[in-house]
Amino acid sequence: SNNAFTKDYSTNSYNATVNGPIWNQTGGYDGFGAYEFDGISSYLITGTTDNSFITRPFTVAAWIKTNSTAPGTVVRSEIGIPDTGMVQSWTTLDSAALNKITFGAVTNNSIWEYAISNTSVNDNVWHYVVGSYTGNSFQIYVDGVLENTTPTTGIPLETTGTGWYVG
């Protein structure tokens, strides 16, 4: 990883382009490096991906550290024109609700469905946040503890053709 790109070492090869965040080689919860985002406009974006997996059970996880009270995206995928309000569907793990983490998606019945954490995560401490879609519910974990489960009435809409945003 560096200030221009970051490599996906999985077999998926969803390498990402860096748009603003700074690579800190000694940052992160373990000191082995982390991107530092400005909370306004910096993000990573993968190239076009096949996100058809989101119609089946899947999990999104990230280490985060923030003291911001402003809403922010941790991970998201969209259909439409990103950041314009002309988005048809997305799956997101973000901090939009009272400094807590939400995880959910627009489902095939055009409803935004999500689970929200009990824990506020804007305490400037590293947190391991996980969102999981089980096939019939959204679950949110903070630091290894399941904090909420929300049953779904639909399935997340497939977002093939867009990349995944981080930050």
Side-chain angles (χ1 to χ4, degrees):
S1 295
N2 59 39
N3 288 330
F5 77 95
T6 190
K7 181 173 176 54
D8 174 6
Y9 289 95
S10 77
T11 58
N12 296 315
S13 296
Y14 291 152
N15 300 327
T17 301
V18 176
N19 292 290
I22 304 298
W23 176 250
N24 178 343
Q25 289 181 305
T26 59
Y29 81 99
D30 60 3
F32 290 115
Y35 281 99
E36 296 177 357
F37 297 87
D38 65 12
I40 300 167
S41 61
S42 60
Y43 61 92
L44 307 175
I45 177 87
T46 65
T48 301
T49 58
D50 175 9
N51 296 334
S52 59
F53 69 87
I54 72 166
T55 60
R56 300 181 305 274
F58 70 97
T59 298
V60 177
W63 280 99
I64 65 167
K65 178 182 177 184
T66 185
N67 62 358
S68 175
T69 57
T73 298
V74 178
V75 178
R76 79 174 185 260
S77 179
E78 302 175 336
I79 292 176
I81 303 170
D83 299 321
T84 64
M86 298 174 65
V87 175
Q88 298 167 354
S89 173
W90 62 90
T91 301
T92 183
L93 179 67
D94 67 28
S95 60
L98 301 173
N99 309 312
K100 299 178 182 185
I101 293 293
T102 62
F103 176 71
V106 172
T107 58
N108 62 344
N109 55 10
S110 299
I111 297 173
W112 170 241
E113 300 184 43
Y114 61 92
I116 184 169
S117 70
N118 298 318
T119 302
S120 292
V121 295
N122 67 327
D123 56 2
N124 211 32
V125 173
W126 283 103
H127 293 282
Y128 186 59
V129 295
V130 177
S132 185
Y133 171 63
T134 66
N136 58 15
S137 68
F138 289 107
Q139 298 179 328
I140 190 76
Y141 296 78
V142 176
D143 299 323
V145 176
L146 174 62
E147 295 206 350
N148 201 344
T149 298
T150 302
T152 60
T153 60
I155 58 171
L157 288 175
E158 185 176 321
T159 58
T160 300
T162 63
W164 282 86
Y165 290 79
V166 177

